[in-house]
Amino acid sequence: MSNKNRKRSIDGVSGAGEGSSKKAKPHAFFSSFAARKEEASLPPTQRATVRVEAPPTVEHYLHLDPFASPGSDNGGSTSSSKIKIAMYDLDGTLIQPKSGARFPKDATDWKWWDATVKAKLAEVHKEQFHLVIISNQNLKEKPLKAWRSKVSLICADVQLPIRVLAATAKDQYRKPGIGLYELLHDLYEAKGLEIDIENSFYVGDAAGRAGDHNDTDRKFAVNAGLTFYTPEQYFKGSTKNPAYLPFKGLDATAELAAMDDSPLVTPTSTPLIPASTKEIVIFVGYPASGKTSFYNKYFKPHGYIHVNQDTLKTREKCLAVVREEMTFGANGCVVDNTNRDKSTRAYYVAMAKQLHVPVRCFYFTASYQLAKHNNFYRAYVASDVPAAEKRSILPETAFIGFKNALQEPDETEGFDEIRRVNFKFQGTEEDRRLWSRWMS
Ligand SMILES: [Mg+2]
């Protein structure tokens, strides 16, 4: 459970006495008029939701301090340092819009998902569980404001110590990413406590069943190693277990196994690096498909120049560097761009013909899903990416753009050789475990 993101996140949270932190401003976020009116009618003991300092893309609230609550002997001074956590998704699990609309209209447009919800929360609280809501809320400013107000009303209605954690951007905190769970883990660790993961659980409605909008809740539980229940199982005693249902998207565990059995480069009949290295090599492939790592490992040691448009800014500059090296230099050039279509590649092929040097194409075959998986892994999950290879998350459009414009390289383009490069994940056993997580 150690990675850079988790370390970064705890810096934003004051571990001790967060409920009484000077930075916590009760009601400061309580903004909508209807919600404010409703909140004002509550007795003071129920208006206890405080905002906890958190990383910029995380909303963190605490309603009553779970460590100071009467009836809870598992915080502070006594007995066990292992805390059982009952975790819940919010929308479609604990609550639903009162209006019957798909999305809530305002802060007061909510009701409990089922009549049993409140009693069930009280029951697990009595059983010494700490209650935590884990929610994805990638909202614009106005609906986010209303959401904050709603949180206060929900917490006040429960009247139990409850913590709310929400991810407001598409980053490592968003489910199925487990950034929020790791944040929670660090919070307890800072208090000398440990989450009793064996006896903790997570309830969510996005389980990948027919009619579910997604399967991210079940993936979140798998990623975190938590027992998972649907709201139907948990609140209504349904015996329908979704565990056998397939997940959507890239099954990284299966991908890893397949990678181990496939060759890195095909065909394998000719040497990867020829005797004479004065040649132009054109890479083709998605962002995050392993192109630069492949260059560093196989071409760089042979003196090949790295030509990249992100660094050089324009195609003209890339072409100028290649021309200069092919005319006056002694080395080969690797054009490490996505080079997605024939017309882009034709510039380099034409130059090779003009200068009478060989031109080869290396096609990185990683799929759309695999490249996106790597993108997320490199930006948010990888623990040991060297600073030089460290990259921030690339937008979805970078992948869609490539997918839509891709023309697979073929012989008619004038290459002396086309090689296919299969993505092979490189890393330790721990890295493989992290890479195997569900990223989206
Ligand atoms: Mg939900």
Side-chain angles (χ1 to χ4, degrees):
M1 290 297 275
S2 72
N3 75 48
K4 60 186 189 320
N5 301 320
R6 207 151 56 69
K7 286 193 190 89
R8 195 191 314 137
S9 62
I10 194 164
D11 294 338
V13 178
S14 65
E18 55 200 27
S20 58
S21 159
K22 274 178 192 153
K23 289 188 175 166
K25 288 185 195 136
H27 324 308
F29 55 91
F30 213 89
S31 53
S32 106
F33 177 73
R36 200 158 54 230
K37 210 171 130 196
E38 191 161 323
E39 188 251 10
S41 69
L42 296 166
T45 50
Q46 293 177 31
R47 285 182 261 146
T49 309
V50 293
R51 187 170 188 172
V52 183
E53 202 186 338
T57 57
V58 173
E59 297 279 316
H60 188 171
Y61 301 101
L62 202 55
H63 182 83
L64 308 173
D65 187 352
F67 300 105
S69 102
S72 163
D73 67 354
N74 49 16
S77 60
T78 50
S79 66
S80 177
S81 62
K82 278 195 152 191
I83 309 286
K84 298 179 289 181
I85 317 267
M87 276 166 269
Y88 306 90
D89 168 53
L90 182 60
D91 301 305
T93 298
L94 293 182
I95 61 163
Q96 57 185 320
K98 191 163 60 184
S99 62
R102 186 155 173 234
F103 298 104
K105 288 184 295 189
D106 57 36
T108 58
D109 185 13
W110 68 276
K111 62 177 184 180
W112 294 107
W113 181 78
D114 186 71
T116 59
V117 171
K118 269 174 78 174
K120 187 78 178 168
L121 296 180
E123 188 186 312
V124 288
H125 169 67
K126 231 176 162 184
E127 291 168 2
Q128 312 294 335
F129 281 86
H130 284 193
L131 307 180
V132 178
I133 293 172
I134 306 257
S135 182
N136 284 351
Q137 298 291 340
N138 184 26
L139 299 171
K140 292 203 162 53
E141 207 180 312
K142 204 181 161 197
L144 186 61
K145 257 185 164 178
W147 180 83
R148 287 170 180 151
S149 305
K150 186 169 74 177
V151 162
S152 196
L153 294 174
I154 293 164
C155 290
D157 197 41
V158 181
Q159 296 184 56
L160 294 168
I162 191 158
R163 186 186 301 276
V164 181
L165 286 164
T168 59
K170 290 182 176 175
D171 59 13
Q172 70 270 35
Y173 298 107
R174 182 176 173 82
K175 295 177 288 186
I178 57 169
L180 293 180
Y181 178 77
E182 291 182 326
L183 204 148
L184 194 70
H185 171 277
D186 288 353
L187 208 101
Y188 280 81
E189 198 174 65
K191 289 178 182 288
L193 301 169
E194 193 190 331
I195 295 176
D196 180 358
I197 194 160
E198 298 281 308
N199 292 301
S200 298
F201 60 85
Y202 177 69
V203 184
D205 66 311
R209 299 163 294 176
D212 284 355
H213 64 94
N214 217 327
D215 57 5
T216 42
D217 283 323
R218 193 155 58 93
K219 282 173 175 168
F220 168 82
V222 169
N223 282 345
L226 290 160
T227 302
F228 176 77
Y229 303 108
T230 62
E232 286 78 5
Q233 286 178 291
Y234 185 77
F235 292 115
K236 293 182 170 179
S238 162
T239 54
K240 278 191 185 157
N241 187 345
Y244 63 91
L245 294 171
F247 284 112
K248 286 190 242 171
L250 185 92
D251 183 342
T253 307
E255 285 283 338
L256 264 185
M259 266 173 218
D260 292 340
D261 294 335
S262 66
L264 176 64
V265 179
T266 55
T268 52
S269 48
T270 53
L272 197 62
I273 308 293
S276 167
T277 59
K278 187 143 176 186
E279 60 166 342
I280 301 173
V281 174
I282 303 189
F283 281 1
V284 175
Y286 276 103
S289 61
K291 299 189 298 299
T292 303
S293 303
F294 192 85
Y295 162 80
N296 284 330
K297 196 163 179 192
Y298 298 103
F299 287 97
K300 197 178 178 186
H302 292 277
Y304 282 76
I305 309 289
H306 188 243
V307 181
N308 175 261
Q309 201 166 312
D310 293 335
T311 318
L312 295 169
K313 301 298 174 207
T314 65
R315 181 190 293 138
E316 287 65 35
K317 281 191 184 147
C318 291
L319 285 161
V321 169
V322 175
R323 177 179 289 278
E324 180 160 323
E325 192 57 34
M326 289 302 116
T327 310
F328 304 110
N331 294 300
C333 285
V334 170
V335 185
D336 178 11
N337 300 328
T338 57
N339 294 318
R340 58 196 195 180
D341 52 32
K342 292 182 181 183
S343 63
T344 306
R345 301 188 290 260
Y347 288 98
Y348 299 97
V349 175
M351 182 177 284
K353 302 297 171 197
Q354 193 192 10
L355 301 174
H356 305 290
V357 292
V359 55
R360 294 194 295 156
C361 178
F362 280 68
Y363 176 38
F364 292 73
T365 61
S367 67
Y368 171 75
Q369 291 280 8
L370 181 56
K372 285 207 307 179
H373 185 86
N374 281 337
N375 182 36
F376 197 91
Y377 174 80
R378 287 178 187 182
Y380 297 135
V381 183
S383 53
D384 65 337
V385 177
E389 288 175 35
K390 180 98 192 71
R391 285 192 231 164
S392 50
I393 194 89
L394 295 166
E396 175 95 16
T397 49
F399 297 88
I400 294 171
F402 183 89
K403 185 182 177 184
N404 292 340
L406 173 65
Q407 292 172 308
E408 289 199 17
D410 66 52
E411 283 75 21
T412 63
E413 294 176 58
F415 296 116
D416 293 286
E417 185 183 48
I418 297 171
R419 304 292 275 277
R420 294 169 72 89
V421 183
N422 296 311
F423 180 78
K424 275 189 179 280
F425 181 75
Q426 310 283 336
T428 61
E429 272 308 304
E430 171 66 2
D431 294 334
R432 285 169 71 94
R433 194 185 65 75
L434 293 173
W435 195 84
S436 299
R437 277 187 196 162
W438 295 97
M439 308 274 175
S440 59

XYZ file of all heavy atoms in Angstrom, residues 89-95 135 175 202 204-206 213 217, ligand 1:
114
model
N -21.245 3.432 -1.305
C -21.445 4.379 -2.387
C -22.632 5.256 -1.968
O -23.397 4.885 -1.072
C -21.742 3.593 -3.673
C -22.254 4.468 -4.790
O -21.589 5.465 -5.107
O -23.329 4.153 -5.343
N -22.798 6.415 -2.586
C -23.906 7.289 -2.183
C -25.128 7.126 -3.107
O -26.131 6.536 -2.731
C -23.425 8.748 -2.157
C -24.437 9.800 -1.701
C -24.911 9.536 -0.283
C -23.840 11.205 -1.807
N -24.998 7.654 -4.342
C -26.154 7.683 -5.256
C -26.540 6.288 -5.738
O -25.706 5.553 -6.259
C -25.839 8.570 -6.464
C -25.499 9.989 -6.044
O -26.315 10.598 -5.347
O -24.401 10.474 -6.389
N -27.795 5.952 -5.567
C -28.273 4.649 -6.020
C -27.976 3.543 -5.021
O -28.336 2.395 -5.224
N -27.317 3.903 -3.928
C -26.983 2.917 -2.888
C -27.614 3.334 -1.554
O -28.401 2.602 -0.978
C -25.457 2.769 -2.736
O -24.928 2.283 -3.974
C -25.096 1.807 -1.627
N -27.243 4.537 -1.091
C -27.851 5.041 0.156
C -29.054 5.939 -0.145
O -30.025 5.953 0.596
C -26.823 5.826 0.971
C -25.642 5.051 1.560
C -24.750 5.984 2.370
C -26.112 3.881 2.422
N -28.935 6.715 -1.223
C -30.002 7.665 -1.551
C -30.395 7.574 -3.025
O -29.686 6.961 -3.830
C -29.589 9.130 -1.235
C -28.359 9.528 -2.069
C -29.319 9.321 0.245
C -28.112 11.024 -2.148
N -17.706 8.350 -2.798
C -18.551 8.741 -3.927
C -17.769 9.398 -5.062
O -16.808 10.125 -4.818
C -19.615 9.726 -3.395
O -20.490 10.113 -4.408
N -13.426 6.321 -8.348
C -13.623 4.878 -8.457
C -13.674 4.490 -9.928
O -14.237 5.244 -10.705
C -14.937 4.468 -7.771
C -14.962 4.680 -6.273
C -16.327 4.322 -5.671
C -17.407 5.328 -6.000
N -18.698 5.100 -5.329
N -17.733 -2.991 1.365
C -18.165 -1.864 0.547
C -19.465 -2.234 -0.172
O -19.575 -3.331 -0.728
C -17.078 -1.512 -0.471
C -17.480 -0.409 -1.407
C -17.640 0.893 -0.945
C -17.725 -0.662 -2.760
C -18.034 1.907 -1.794
C -18.112 0.347 -3.615
C -18.272 1.635 -3.130
O -18.672 2.639 -3.976
N -22.187 -0.990 -3.121
C -22.384 -0.069 -4.239
C -23.309 -0.646 -5.290
O -23.429 -1.869 -5.426
N -23.973 0.254 -6.021
C -24.948 -0.228 -7.015
C -24.342 -0.445 -8.401
O -24.938 -1.105 -9.229
C -26.128 0.739 -7.115
C -25.717 2.096 -7.668
O -24.725 2.660 -7.170
O -26.376 2.585 -8.611
N -23.158 0.148 -8.663
C -22.535 -0.036 -9.975
C -21.765 -1.346 -9.964
O -20.563 -1.392 -9.705
C -21.620 1.138 -10.303
N -25.552 1.172 -14.523
C -24.905 2.128 -15.419
C -23.420 1.824 -15.579
O -22.781 2.252 -16.528
C -25.113 3.566 -14.917
C -24.476 3.841 -13.588
N -23.224 4.380 -13.470
C -24.915 3.608 -12.327
C -22.923 4.490 -12.182
N -23.929 4.029 -11.473
N -18.186 0.217 -8.956
C -18.203 -0.051 -7.513
C -17.601 -1.422 -7.215
O -16.820 -1.576 -6.277
C -19.628 0.026 -6.955
C -20.106 1.468 -6.797
O -19.280 2.328 -6.422
O -21.300 1.736 -7.061
Mg -24.034 4.710 -7.298
